[in-house]
Amino acid sequence: MTVKDLVRSLTGITTTGTPHLGNYVGAIRPAVRASREPGLENFYFLADFHALIKCDEPERIQRSTLEIAASWLAAGLDPEKVTFYRQSDIPEIPELTWLLTCVTGKGILNRAHAYKAALDKNEAAGQDADFDVTAGLFMYPVLMAADILMFKAHRVPVGRDQVQHIEMARDIAQRFNHLYGELLVLPDAVIDENVALLPGLDGRKMSKSYDNTIPLFGPREQLRKQIMGIVTDSRAPGEPKETAGSSLFSIFRAFASDEETKAFAQAFADGIGWADAKQQLFERIEREIGPMRERYQHLIDNPAEVQAILLAGAEKARAIAAPFLRDLRSAVGLRALGAQSTPGKDKSQPKGSLPQFKQYREKDGRFYFKFTEANGEVLLQSVGFESPREAGQAVKRLQTEGSAALADLNLLLEPLTNVKLELVTDALKRLLDETGA
Ligand code: TRP
């Protein structure tokens, strides 16, 4: 299978809270499973720019980012297999947000559910319509579109409440493509019908906003206590219990196999006492979560480890985002002043926009070369060579073999980061295309 055949899936998690069992069952577990499927290329990121829209407590943003990252890793997300990063580590995203902002109709944003809900709430309270509404809330869908379009995601697994945002991302992408050429990929929302909706302690959907959640990685004893506190009816031990409408039963089912669930239903029919049923539920959850708790705690205690994982993820992500953003900038006209074309509309690159090699001699008497982008940005800088001929030979190899020559030419002053490597590869390729070598 080639990279082209891969379906790219991407989703973000807003960093404002502590993960609970509902997040685990509804998002983390299905994502970790999906990340092991062949044929899917997965991007998961911590949407901390989005978090700023809802939360102005710096400590909470920081803590939540750590907790969510640690939870996903502890639950088995393999950062080698997926691209796992923090949104705010990708400066290309806010930049793309601006390009998209300029093609987004204000009317579309007026119709966004979350923004409208805020206005309706103000109206109901007799407030000014815009009371406490930030421009960030208004722009939320554009930032989200940038998250998705930056990486040409085909599929975006989300909850039902996010579907409108994906539709807006499609609209925005279409408008951009219409104006500037077919550059952006139109994403599809993916809603998993099989994912369990977990009831919370009080029987309503488990959600931060109802304050009825069970933290995913609280201490074992706390988990037990909270499960013992789940609301049940008042039937005594020995009396048959209803499974329908029982939160206890629904939560059990979200963790258990079909067989275990059947046996649990039978126990209900046979009149299991609520205390016993709760103990069984606790043990079943603990069997799955317990082994992950240690890894979670380790990561929480070693934030630098999590930071390093996220930075490595950001580097992978930027290796895709940086060259793509350059194409997008060029398409809208933010390009070298001598250049004339729009990559999406016209593949040929005008001469003025080609990257170049420059050879020179330094005070140390040695011979060097630089490889620069058309706009002057230095992409590569060589080590010093004894003679101009040697430097010239290295240049020649790069010109004719492209980035393939980089691997065995040990000629760089600074090691290449992935981001740079992507830029260099892209620039060499354009040069090769142009010279027909
Ligand atoms: N808005 C999403 C939520 O609240 C989080 C999010 C931000 C997201 N950017 C995204 C989800 C991009 C999918 C794709 O759940």
Side-chain angles (χ1 to χ4, degrees):
M1 178 176 306
T2 68
V3 175
K4 278 212 158 45
D5 301 318
L6 284 175
V7 171
R8 190 172 282 171
S9 169
L10 171 147
T11 200
I13 314 103
T14 310
T15 55
T16 45
T18 298
H20 54 69
L21 287 183
N23 299 137
Y24 175 74
V25 165
I28 303 176
R29 191 175 61 187
V32 171
R33 283 184 187 155
S35 75
R36 294 174 179 158
E37 272 172 39
L40 259 189
E41 195 187 0
N42 289 288
F43 286 63
Y44 300 105
F45 68 95
L46 302 153
D48 51 359
F49 281 142
H50 278 99
L52 297 181
I53 294 169
K54 301 186 196 162
C55 174
D56 58 10
E57 300 161 56
E59 258 77 56
R60 179 144 151 239
I61 299 276
Q62 180 191 27
R63 179 74 192 174
S64 170
T65 304
L66 174 62
E67 287 178 347
I68 294 176
S71 298
W72 284 66
L73 294 168
L77 192 74
D78 180 351
E80 299 290 325
K81 285 217 181 78
V82 304
T83 306
F84 186 48
Y85 55 98
R86 198 173 172 182
Q87 185 187 30
S88 63
D89 283 335
I90 317 289
E92 288 78 10
I93 288 176
E95 193 169 342
L96 178 57
T97 301
W98 182 251
L99 301 191
L100 299 177
T101 300
C102 294
V103 303
T104 302
K106 177 169 175 287
I108 294 190
L109 298 180
N110 285 339
R111 290 191 284 277
H113 297 321
Y115 171 69
K116 266 199 349 212
L119 300 196
D120 291 348
K121 201 171 134 213
N122 282 335
E123 202 180 331
Q127 294 275 15
D128 183 272
D130 288 330
F131 175 72
D132 218 16
V133 174
T134 64
L137 178 67
F138 189 64
M139 293 297 299
Y140 189 110
V142 188
L143 176 58
M144 185 157 158
D147 290 332
I148 298 168
L149 302 175
M150 183 84 265
F151 297 102
K152 302 183 184 159
H154 308 98
R155 305 196 345 185
V156 186
V158 283
R160 231 167 246 301
D161 60 322
Q162 296 294 316
V163 170
Q164 190 198 30
H165 290 145
I166 313 301
E167 283 164 3
M168 294 169 105
R170 283 181 74 92
D171 283 353
I172 295 169
Q174 239 157 0
R175 173 103 184 112
F176 188 96
N177 286 352
H178 174 72
L179 291 168
Y180 300 116
E182 293 296 317
L183 291 155
L184 301 175
V185 170
L186 307 192
D188 283 307
V190 177
I191 297 161
D192 189 342
E193 304 290 350
N194 296 319
V195 159
L197 253 193
L198 216 61
L201 294 169
D202 58 358
R204 291 187 291 174
K205 176 190 167 202
M206 189 178 286
S207 161
K208 238 183 357 203
S209 33
Y210 296 144
D211 196 23
N212 64 355
T213 62
I214 302 177
L216 174 55
F217 291 121
R220 187 185 145 93
E221 260 322 294
Q222 181 188 327
L223 177 64
R224 185 207 301 279
K225 276 213 193 94
Q226 286 186 308
I227 287 172
M228 293 303 158
I230 293 174
V231 174
T232 60
D233 62 30
S234 55
R235 280 175 226 208
E239 278 185 75
K241 314 273 186 297
E242 293 282 343
T243 55
S246 159
S247 330
L248 199 61
F249 187 78
S250 304
I251 300 175
F252 187 90
R253 192 173 43 200
F255 282 87
S257 67
D258 287 350
E259 251 154 64
E260 292 169 309
T261 305
K262 251 192 222 144
F264 203 51
Q266 188 58 50
F268 269 51
D270 293 345
I272 186 175
W274 286 125
D276 285 348
K278 287 174 175 176
Q279 179 63 25
Q280 280 193 27
L281 172 60
F282 166 69
E283 282 167 15
R284 187 59 193 83
I285 295 178
E286 185 59 18
R287 179 141 61 94
E288 184 159 333
I289 299 302
M292 303 170 182
R293 191 180 287 119
E294 202 178 322
R295 169 108 176 107
Y296 176 79
Q297 201 51 53
H298 171 85
L299 293 168
I300 292 291
D301 295 340
N302 295 277
E305 257 177 59
V306 178
Q307 177 87 28
I309 290 171
L310 291 173
L311 281 177
E315 180 142 329
K316 267 205 279 188
R318 293 192 70 199
I320 296 168
F324 187 41
L325 182 66
R326 254 214 343 244
D327 289 348
L328 297 173
R329 287 179 58 120
S330 169
V332 302
L334 307 179
R335 59 191 176 210
L337 296 181
Q340 290 151 18
S341 80
T342 304
K345 291 191 165 169
D346 172 7
K347 289 279 176 229
S348 73
Q349 288 276 348
K351 281 214 161 43
S353 77
L354 281 181
Q356 300 181 9
F357 284 95
K358 289 179 191 150
Q359 288 183 235
Y360 56 96
R361 188 171 194 181
E362 277 287 2
K363 284 196 208 73
D364 62 8
R366 299 170 76 83
F367 298 86
Y368 294 81
F369 69 84
K370 274 184 192 163
F371 183 47
T372 57
E373 195 41 270
N375 64 10
E377 182 189 353
V378 178
L379 298 173
L380 280 183
Q381 188 156 17
S382 77
V383 292
F385 293 89
E386 289 298 328
S387 67
R389 211 176 67 94
E390 278 171 78
Q393 274 168 350
V395 169
K396 184 97 198 152
R397 280 200 65 190
L398 286 170
Q399 280 171 335
T400 52
E401 297 168 37
S403 56
L406 278 176
D408 47 84
L409 278 177
N410 192 11
L411 45 69
L412 306 180
L413 268 188
E414 286 168 74
L416 272 181
T417 63
N418 281 340
V419 178
K420 266 281 163 77
L421 182 59
E422 188 86 14
L423 294 176
V424 170
T425 305
D426 177 73
L428 286 170
K429 197 169 147 302
R430 272 186 285 132
L431 204 57
L432 264 167
D433 287 350
E434 185 66 17
T435 55

